[in-house]
Amino acid sequence: EKEYSPLMAVIATLVVGADGSTTKDGSSQGVTSGADRAHFLEHRRLADCIFIGGNTARTEPYLRTPVPVVVISRQLSNPLANNPLAHCWCLSPVAGLDKAIENFGPRIHVEAGASIISELIAAGRIDQLELRITSVIGGEMKVDIETLLGAFTTRVEKVIDGTRFISASK
């Protein structure tokens, strides 16, 4: 069974509801589960850097992180100004990812929204996708789960406390 490998460079993680919702009431917290949170927090500590977009920085709790966090945003103000480990760069996702690898190391944990993750998948820059599917329905910002998984050839699935965990890699 293939698990998170610290040798793999770029790992994206995304939680969605059963209907593909990435948020509910404006936050991913509305679609997450206890099993998802535990797995997510355990694995992010292994990263050299966390990589997110500006919307994620503004709507999710990133004021304290175990490793540096890079925010890719078109807005000039840093939404995580109170986090001493935060860096805000006005770059494209691919350019930002290259700079994050150069500055912090090869193990990048992409916790951005589906649009940035999709852009990085399309550019061939995600080595592994950790997708969690909870039973939540009726949220917003829906994605097509099979489209996200389409770029990967290997899938390992397991269910923990009603949450589907799909680890997809090239």
Side-chain angles (χ1 to χ4, degrees), residues 18 26 82 86 94 102 110 115 143 145 153 160 166:
N82 293 330
V94 170
E102 183 180 312
V110 179
S115 62
V143 296
I145 293 167
T153 55
I160 301 173
I166 301 173

Side-chain angles (χ1 to χ4, degrees), residues 14-24 27-33 36 131-146 148 162-164 166:
L14 185 65
V15 62
V16 299
D19 61 358
S21 301
T22 59
T23 63
K24 189 163 186 177
S27 168
S28 70
Q29 291 176 349
V31 295
T32 193
S33 68
D36 167 56
L131 184 64
R132 277 82 140 156
I133 304 171
T134 67
S135 60
V136 175
I137 57 171
E140 310 88 31
M141 306 290 287
K142 292 182 178 155
V143 296
D144 184 313
I145 293 167
E146 289 306 315
L148 282 176
T163 297
R164 278 176 67 199
I166 301 173

